[in-house]
């Protein structure tokens, strides 16, 4: 959860707490670096976010969370709320905000790994950049298996059209 700030940019509070000011990296700090990002399938992410924001997972229950009320009205309501707002994250502007510098929206990574196939992607990345890869045991594995039952055709279309940029990437 890092916000990369453009050289001439001023910090825009487009990322809600706790992912804000203490996690800002100036874009010039990435010069001469290989930038990679690990991302989730957007449909899976939104279901996970529903459970997090709505406190369905008791570990994260926080009635003061800015999306608590929306999440407790269901995924359809939550996604429509997110898709209709500019700020804070998540918003129609960004689902994977760490892929883009703020505020320009410049794409940053040289490589993207998908959490659904993380071990395989990390191995490919290591091979590509001549790095060592040492597989580790999975962490924070949820019991969640399949996001599809949470979606109807209308919601799939909304997610697909709103976040087409991230899906295409």
């Amino acid at each position: 959860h890092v916000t990369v700030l453009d050289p001439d940019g001023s910090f825009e509070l487009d990322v809600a707490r706790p992912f804000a000011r203490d996690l800002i990296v100036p874009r010039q700090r990435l010069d001469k670096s290989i930038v990679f990002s690990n991302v989730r399938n957007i449909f899976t992410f939104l279901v996970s976010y529903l459970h997090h924001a709505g406190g369905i997972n008791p570990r994260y229950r926080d009635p003061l969370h800015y999306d608590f009320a929306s999440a407790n009205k269901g995924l359809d309501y939550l996604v429509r709320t997110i898709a209709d707002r500019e700020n804070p994250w998540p918003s129609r502007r960004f689902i994977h905000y760490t892929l883009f510098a703020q505020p320009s929206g410049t794409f940053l990574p040289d490589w993207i790994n998908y959490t659904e196939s993380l071990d395989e992607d990390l191995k490919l990345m290591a091979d590509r950049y001549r790095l060592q890869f040492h597989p580790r045991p999975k962490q924070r594995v949820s019991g969640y298996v399949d996001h599809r039952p949470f979606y109807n055709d209308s919601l799939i279309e909304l997610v697909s059209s709103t976040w087409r940029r991230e899906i295409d990437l």
Side-chain angles (χ1 to χ4, degrees):
H1 299 300
V2 174
T3 299
V4 177
L5 187 63
D6 287 320
D8 297 328
S10 59
F11 183 72
E12 292 182 359
L13 192 58
D14 62 353
V15 179
R17 289 187 175 131
F19 314 116
R21 293 197 175 278
D22 55 338
L23 299 169
I24 295 172
V25 173
R27 193 165 120 196
Q28 59 268 27
R29 213 164 121 199
L30 303 179
D31 290 347
K32 299 180 184 175
S33 298
I34 298 168
V35 178
F36 71 94
S37 186
N38 301 327
V39 299
R40 291 179 82 172
N41 173 301
I42 291 171
F43 294 93
T44 303
F45 166 80
L46 288 167
V47 172
S48 177
Y49 186 71
L50 168 79
H51 288 90
H52 173 85
I56 296 164
N57 179 339
R59 177 179 173 185
Y60 301 113
R61 185 168 180 76
D62 179 5
L64 299 177
H65 188 287
Y66 55 97
D67 277 327
F68 184 83
S70 295
N72 278 283
K73 293 180 181 177
L75 183 66
D76 190 89
Y77 189 90
L78 176 64
V79 170
R80 291 180 191 287
T81 299
I82 293 168
D84 195 39
R85 71 181 178 211
E86 194 73 18
N87 290 311
W89 172 86
S91 68
R92 70 173 169 264
R93 289 179 57 212
F94 302 110
I95 284 290
H96 302 306
Y97 71 89
T98 57
L99 297 178
F100 306 95
Q102 305 296 316
S104 71
T106 302
F107 183 69
L108 297 167
D110 299 295
W111 187 273
I112 296 177
N113 297 306
Y114 299 96
T115 59
E116 292 83 0
S117 57
L118 189 58
D119 285 344
E120 295 85 7
D121 288 358
L122 287 171
K123 172 76 171 96
L124 289 170
M125 184 180 81
D127 290 347
R128 165 70 170 81
Y129 293 103
R130 296 185 177 113
L131 303 169
Q132 295 282 326
F133 172 63
H134 304 284
R136 304 263 169 104
K138 293 182 181 353
Q139 299 179 33
R140 296 179 61 191
V141 178
S142 73
Y144 170 74
V145 178
D146 188 359
H147 67 270
R148 291 174 291 184
F150 289 86
Y151 289 89
N152 58 37
D153 291 344
S154 171
L155 198 52
I156 290 169
E157 176 55 34
L158 176 64
V159 171
S160 297
S161 62
T162 303
W163 295 289
R164 173 59 48 203
R165 172 186 58 176
E166 284 92 340
I167 291 170
D168 287 347
L169 289 169

